[in-house]
Amino acid sequence: MAGPLRKTKIPDSARAITADLVAVLVAVTDGQPKIMTIANAGALPSGPFEFKHRSLQSGLRAWVEAQTGHPLGYVEQLYTFADRGRTGDGSSPHSVSISYLGLTREDQVADGAAAHWSGWYDYFPWEDHREGPPALLAKLLTPRLRAWAKSAASPALQRERWQRVAITFGFEDREWNEELVLQRYELLFEAALIPEAVRESGNAATLVPGRPMTADHRRILATGIARLRAKIKYRPVVFELMPAEFTLLQLQRSVEALAGRLVHKQNFRRLMEQQQLVEETGAIAADTVGRPAKLFRFRHAVLAERAVAGTKLPLSRT
Amino acid sequence: MAGPLRKTKIPDSARAITADLVAVLVAVTDGQPKIMTIANAGALPSGPFEFKHRSLQSGLRAWVEAQTGHPLGYVEQLYTFADRGRTGDGSSPHSVSISYLGLTREDQVADGAAAHWSGWYDYFPWEDHREGPPALLAKLLTPRLRAWAKSAASPALQRERWQRVAITFGFEDREWNEELVLQRYELLFEAALIPEAVRESGNAATLVPGRPMTADHRRILATGIARLRAKIKYRPVVFELMPAEFTLLQLQRSVEALAGRLVHKQNFRRLMEQQQLVEETGAIAADTVGRPAKLFRFRHAVLAERAVAGTKLPLSRT
DNA sequence: CATGATATGCTCATGGAGAGTATAAATGGC
DNA sequence: GCCATTTATACTCTCCATGAGCATATCATG
């Protein structure tokens, strides 16, 4: 990006790079959010991009469907990262990583591959607030982040750091914002509390719990989780993670698994009803304790009926 | 993407590609939204990506700042497209286009380059609803889209097509949704009413008004406009497009320019106040008709004070 | 048959959003 | 100076989504 931003005459051979696809494949099983991993749960599935398919998206979709044997419900591009070669000294080729978010169901995955499903809170233990704020937040994260804030050069910078911490982690009776997954990860990274941030991997005792991943895969995962947590609020994508028929409580548990926090049961049901997102199948759930629940299915018609998108502008209707 | 999605042993030389950056640079001048263009307003500024900078984003930022002489307020990655070479027969190399959205002000741009500012409604005349629905919607788009819907194979497909049209364009007393810029462009593309969609460039009389662009640049622009229209509703990014001091009406006109529709003046002001996004400078605007307006400035502090992001889940606070 | 667990229906208070009315403060034409 | 016009600014009112809690229905189990 040295010259003007338009077609120049640099020979193509001189600027050749490679492109990789990285996938964040999400499923929810028994109320636990999972992601597909390889390399002993230490990496996201990824591979070289080839130009056999029309588009990046169709390439990813085809691959996943071949692996799982079922259509991939929802695919969305996440972000494109540039890596300056693995060594950084120019000895290895530059590459671009294009990451995607995909939604499936665990039971649809054919066995045999080296792929596994891992709970995503293994990688981000501080993100699960379904049973209240995790103990490790107050016990480990708070003191270490406070120490990091205090280590800044000037008092002004110290206050600034701590304010950032308090906002992104919901400290000092600010509200917890479940969408700030990426910001929290990046802050911990900046504070060098994350294994990926410290090359020497020394003094692990001062780090923060949570399973690391190769390269920047955990950052990509954080991006995917953040995107999904935001998306479930205005698009009916949870249903891609559900079986064909489900009870409202099962649906609620899935939403809670993704959001990492509990929702108000009665209001959740009211929302489903008034938005007409589901319809009764007529059947009743078996194998339950307590009063049996009606089974529902997703009303696929809503996808055609509406263009879901909310406005927040004080519009004028005249 | 033929083999498994993980590191394989394909030699890097066999899968070499090139990467380009494409920028959607937005400014608002005199209540009109503009984008930076090159090639006689027929293309977005773009250029080869080189690995001189740490990241894609910093590369773009550095380039734009060198051109305009001022810091680029806001930069955001839009989307990454894959092109199968310009000819499609393999004679030219494959490439990846990484597009960005950036916000500036027109008066900050240094002259001399081949760049110009073009009104973005030149490219999407049907997107400006500030003076009500544009005449060309009812006069041209509706009949041609209806004809396209009727040309489907079966009555069921015809209804399906027309329903899609009605939703994305707000026909048949559905509401106009200003965020569906990309969907509308893609629908017109699919209906072959867009010059870029018809190679032969024959019978332009049956096409739809709106200036075309090279390659898929107009699609990228549509992506950028859609993103920006969504963003201004929950992030204070409009201020990147404003001078240091402005009146509330000027601010409102900028929002309206981007959204393509009018907002309710009193409610708009109430929103600015209660969200504490602006503060009075104490000065009064000169050169005005009517009662003089107070000048305001953006309260940069809000960026630090809050993590703006709304929830729509029926959360439980227990 | 009591208990526990879940499903489901209903009410109530609060606050934000959409919309309209009224008043204030300037300019320019007569 | 008076009046029409234009813009700024202050209130008010209604409607409805949202958060929250209470009450009741319907099952399994000991």
Side-chain angles (χ1 to χ4, degrees):
Chain A
M1 297 289 308
L5 196 56
R6 54 193 152 129
K7 308 272 187 233
T8 60
K9 301 214 168 169
I10 298 173
D12 288 322
S13 60
R15 43 186 279 259
I17 61 170
T18 61
D20 285 286
L21 297 186
V22 184
V24 178
L25 291 182
V26 178
V28 176
T29 309
D30 296 330
Q32 290 306 320
K34 312 267 186 98
I35 48 156
M36 192 186 262
T37 54
I38 60 168
N40 200 23
L44 294 171
S46 68
F49 172 64
E50 299 166 22
F51 274 82
K52 293 188 176 172
H53 297 88
R54 267 176 315 141
S55 66
L56 292 164
Q57 185 137 336
S58 67
L60 184 81
R61 195 181 281 273
W63 178 80
V64 171
E65 291 178 4
Q67 290 284 311
T68 65
H70 281 80
L72 182 51
Y74 182 82
V75 178
E76 175 182 325
Q77 198 182 91
L78 278 177
Y79 207 80
T80 300
F81 302 88
D83 307 316
R84 301 219 280 172
R86 275 171 287 281
T87 58
D89 60 359
S91 66
S92 54
H94 299 314
S95 76
V96 167
S97 295
I98 306 160
S99 57
Y100 276 86
L101 170 68
L103 307 184
T104 3
R105 283 187 286 132
E106 183 174 355
D107 59 61
Q108 293 185 334
V109 175
D111 252 354
H116 289 98
W117 291 98
S118 311
W120 81 21
Y121 293 122
D122 293 352
Y123 302 92
F124 303 103
W126 55 86
E127 292 291 345
D128 189 0
H129 284 231
R130 284 176 294 179
E131 330 231 305
L136 72 111
L137 252 183
K139 204 170 291 180
L140 293 174
L141 291 191
T142 311
R144 290 179 190 174
L145 284 168
R146 194 185 295 274
W148 170 74
K150 288 216 170 169
S151 70
S154 73
L157 285 176
Q158 290 172 20
R159 271 195 307 278
E160 196 185 307
R161 277 191 180 179
W162 181 247
Q163 192 183 28
R164 273 179 61 205
V165 168
I167 289 173
T168 49
F169 282 90
F171 292 157
E172 295 178 347
D173 55 46
R174 288 168 199 265
E175 276 224 2
W176 170 259
N177 186 339
E178 74 278 358
E179 289 186 28
L180 304 180
V181 189
L182 182 59
Q183 285 91 324
R184 282 187 283 270
Y185 177 78
E186 292 189 330
L187 214 153
L188 290 172
F189 192 98
E190 192 180 335
L193 298 173
I194 293 282
E196 290 97 319
V198 284
R199 283 287 165 101
E200 324 83 49
S201 78
N203 47 359
T206 65
L207 295 182
V208 141
R211 185 199 281 262
M213 282 182 146
T214 45
D216 53 356
H217 282 198
R218 198 145 63 134
R219 182 185 306 267
I220 296 176
L221 176 55
T223 308
I225 295 176
R227 187 79 127 264
L228 187 51
R229 281 185 171 180
K231 203 113 201 174
I232 52 173
K233 289 169 186 165
Y234 61 98
R235 280 281 168 89
V237 288
V238 213
F239 301 101
E240 311 286 354
L241 301 164
M242 305 295 298
E245 304 193 349
F246 47 83
T247 70
L248 288 183
L249 186 61
Q250 286 168 349
L251 183 64
Q252 181 182 343
R253 293 290 176 238
S254 290
V255 170
E256 291 172 338
L258 300 177
R261 52 196 310 184
L262 299 179
V263 307
H264 188 278
K265 185 192 278 195
Q266 294 92 327
N267 293 345
F268 178 78
R269 301 169 99 91
R270 179 174 61 187
L271 216 64
M272 293 299 111
E273 275 179 26
Q274 80 185 20
Q275 305 207 141
Q276 298 184 294
L277 290 173
V278 293
E279 62 189 1
E280 300 184 13
T281 67
I284 299 276
D287 258 22
T288 60
V289 222
R291 175 172 170 177
K294 294 178 192 164
L295 282 174
F296 289 82
R297 74 170 71 93
F298 176 50
R299 275 190 66 243
H300 287 277
V302 294
L303 296 177
E305 287 168 7
R306 288 205 292 269
V308 241
T311 170
K312 286 276 183 180
L313 286 182
L315 289 179
S316 171
R317 296 245 169 102
T318 51
Chain B
M1 299 290 308
L5 196 57
R6 55 194 153 130
K7 309 268 187 233
T8 59
K9 302 215 167 168
I10 298 173
D12 287 323
S13 60
R15 42 185 278 258
I17 61 171
T18 62
D20 285 285
L21 296 186
V22 184
V24 178
L25 291 182
V26 178
V28 176
T29 309
D30 296 330
Q32 291 305 321
K34 312 269 186 94
I35 48 156
M36 191 185 264
T37 54
I38 60 169
N40 200 22
L44 294 171
S46 68
F49 171 65
E50 300 167 21
F51 275 82
K52 292 188 178 171
H53 296 89
R54 268 175 313 140
S55 67
L56 292 163
Q57 185 137 336
S58 68
L60 184 82
R61 195 180 280 273
W63 178 81
V64 172
E65 291 179 4
Q67 289 284 310
T68 65
H70 282 80
L72 183 52
Y74 182 81
V75 178
E76 173 182 326
Q77 198 181 90
L78 278 177
Y79 207 81
T80 300
F81 302 88
D83 306 316
R84 302 219 278 170
R86 275 171 287 282
T87 58
D89 60 358
S91 66
S92 54
H94 299 312
S95 77
V96 168
S97 295
I98 305 162
S99 57
Y100 276 85
L101 169 69
L103 307 183
T104 4
R105 284 187 287 130
E106 185 174 353
D107 59 62
Q108 293 185 333
V109 176
D111 252 354
H116 289 98
W117 290 98
S118 311
W120 80 21
Y121 293 123
D122 293 352
Y123 302 91
F124 302 103
W126 56 87
E127 291 292 344
D128 189 359
H129 285 231
R130 283 176 293 178
E131 329 231 305
L136 72 110
L137 252 183
K139 205 171 290 180
L140 292 174
L141 291 190
T142 311
R144 288 179 191 174
L145 284 167
R146 194 185 295 274
W148 170 73
K150 287 216 171 168
S151 71
S154 73
L157 285 176
Q158 289 172 22
R159 271 194 306 278
E160 196 184 308
R161 276 192 181 179
W162 182 246
Q163 192 182 31
R164 273 179 61 205
V165 169
I167 289 173
T168 48
F169 282 89
F171 292 156
E172 296 177 347
D173 55 45
R174 288 168 198 265
E175 275 223 4
W176 171 259
N177 186 338
E178 73 278 357
E179 290 186 28
L180 304 181
V181 189
L182 182 59
Q183 286 90 324
R184 282 188 282 271
Y185 177 79
E186 291 189 329
L187 214 153
L188 290 172
F189 193 99
E190 191 180 336
L193 296 172
I194 293 282
E196 290 97 320
V198 285
R199 284 285 165 102
E200 324 84 46
S201 78
N203 47 0
T206 65
L207 295 183
V208 141
R211 185 199 282 261
M213 282 181 146
T214 45
D216 54 355
H217 281 198
R218 196 144 63 132
R219 182 185 307 267
I220 296 175
L221 176 55
T223 307
I225 295 176
R227 187 79 126 262
L228 186 50
R229 283 185 170 178
K231 203 113 201 172
I232 52 173
K233 290 169 187 166
Y234 61 98
R235 280 280 169 91
V237 288
V238 214
F239 302 100
E240 311 286 353
L241 302 163
M242 305 296 296
E245 303 192 350
F246 47 84
T247 71
L248 287 183
L249 186 60
Q250 287 167 349
L251 183 64
Q252 180 183 343
R253 293 289 177 240
S254 291
V255 170
E256 291 172 338
L258 300 177
R261 52 194 313 184
L262 300 180
V263 306
H264 188 279
K265 185 193 278 196
Q266 295 91 326
N267 293 345
F268 178 77
R269 301 169 100 90
R270 179 173 63 187
L271 216 64
M272 293 300 110
E273 275 178 27
Q274 78 184 23
Q275 305 208 143
Q276 299 184 292
L277 290 173
V278 294
E279 62 189 1
E280 300 184 13
T281 66
I284 300 277
D287 258 25
T288 59
V289 222
R291 173 173 172 176
K294 293 177 190 162
L295 282 175
F296 290 82
R297 74 170 72 92
F298 177 48
R299 276 189 67 243
H300 288 276
V302 294
L303 296 177
E305 288 169 6
R306 288 204 290 269
V308 241
T311 169
K312 285 275 184 183
L313 286 182
L315 289 179
S316 173
R317 295 242 170 104
T318 50

